[in-house]
Amino acid sequence: MTSSPEPLYDLFVGIDIAAATASVAWKEPSRKIWRALTIDQTPQGFQTLQQRLLATGHSAKSILVVMEATGSYWMMLATTLAQAGFAISVINPAQAHHFAKALLKQAKTDAIDAQTLAQLAALLQPAVWTPPPAIFVERYHRLNERESLMQMRQQLRNQFHALSHCPARDCFRTHTHAILDRVTDRTDVGRRGRA
């Protein structure tokens, strides 16, 4: 059996990310995991988390924070904490899932997931993540917005086709074409901006 690496950090934090909130748990080497707390996914929530972590008496650089790359919800919190000097590790959700399975964890709540991520941080000490340049983040969000608009456009086209068999189709056709034109204009602007 291999032992865990010598701790490079004084505090290990696990964060389970959701759309509007995040559950946070932490532990010091050789100590029990603190009960999870929930913060809002807002600048004020991020500030509160930083204050709570620093109130443990450890410097930001001696605190390893581990979170999963869940959609795009994790990016703002990870970037904010990295800019504040915390060591951030963003892992693949499959890695966290397999780690929990290895610990025989069957219950699944946000708090339990945060505690499991804190354990993973302490035992594995995954590599530190480097935030991408701001232009990458902006482009990522714009591409996601464009994809959403293109999906909306296809839904409208499908609805228009279904309504084309309706007696009041002329009214629907005019209205639907106006919406399609606006969505197409927005997606085309995004495409021209990248050229």
Side-chain angles (χ1 to χ4, degrees):
M1 181 169 146
T2 61
S3 62
S4 58
E6 189 64 31
L8 301 173
Y9 303 97
D10 298 321
L11 190 68
F12 301 97
V13 181
I15 302 180
D16 185 62
I17 304 286
T21 61
S23 292
V24 183
W26 59 83
K27 75 179 296 302
E28 294 177 274
S30 306
R31 294 223 173 137
K32 288 181 71 173
I33 298 174
W34 287 68
R35 203 167 109 203
L37 66 102
T38 301
I39 62 161
D40 291 329
Q41 283 263 44
T42 63
Q44 180 61 39
F46 301 163
Q47 183 65 34
T48 299
L49 175 59
Q50 290 177 54
Q51 291 169 350
R52 292 287 301 264
L53 294 176
L54 294 173
T56 63
H58 303 291
S59 67
K61 68 181 181 180
S62 71
I63 299 174
L64 175 62
V65 179
V66 174
M67 62 182 72
E68 297 173 328
T70 306
S72 61
Y73 301 128
W74 62 273
M75 194 171 287
M76 187 62 72
L77 177 56
T79 302
T80 300
L81 292 175
Q83 289 172 345
F86 292 88
I88 307 299
S89 180
V90 180
I91 63 170
N92 186 317
Q95 184 179 2
H97 172 76
H98 292 299
F99 182 80
K101 275 180 77 172
L103 296 177
L104 302 177
K105 297 221 177 191
Q106 294 180 352
K108 182 159 174 46
T109 66
D110 292 344
I112 290 172
D113 288 349
Q115 292 170 341
T116 302
L117 289 168
Q119 281 183 282
L120 184 148
L123 291 173
L124 302 181
Q125 297 180 34
V128 174
W129 171 80
T130 303
I135 189 73
F136 172 82
V137 176
E138 182 180 339
R139 185 177 184 141
Y140 176 81
H141 289 300
R142 285 181 186 239
L143 288 173
N144 281 341
E145 180 182 359
R146 183 175 185 275
E147 179 65 28
S148 295
L149 288 170
M150 290 174 62
Q151 289 174 359
M152 183 189 312
R153 180 176 63 185
Q154 187 58 47
Q155 288 173 349
L156 287 169
R157 285 180 176 160
N158 293 346
Q159 290 171 1
F160 177 70
H161 181 265
L163 289 173
S164 66
H165 305 294
C166 179
R169 67 178 173 229
D170 291 336
C171 176
F172 290 121
R173 178 178 294 154
T174 303
H175 181 69
T176 304
H177 276 301
I179 293 172
L180 275 171
D181 289 343
R182 284 194 296 251
V183 170
T184 299
D185 288 346
R186 292 221 29 213
T187 58
D188 289 343
V189 166
R191 193 175 313 132
R192 285 192 301 266
R194 287 193 308 272

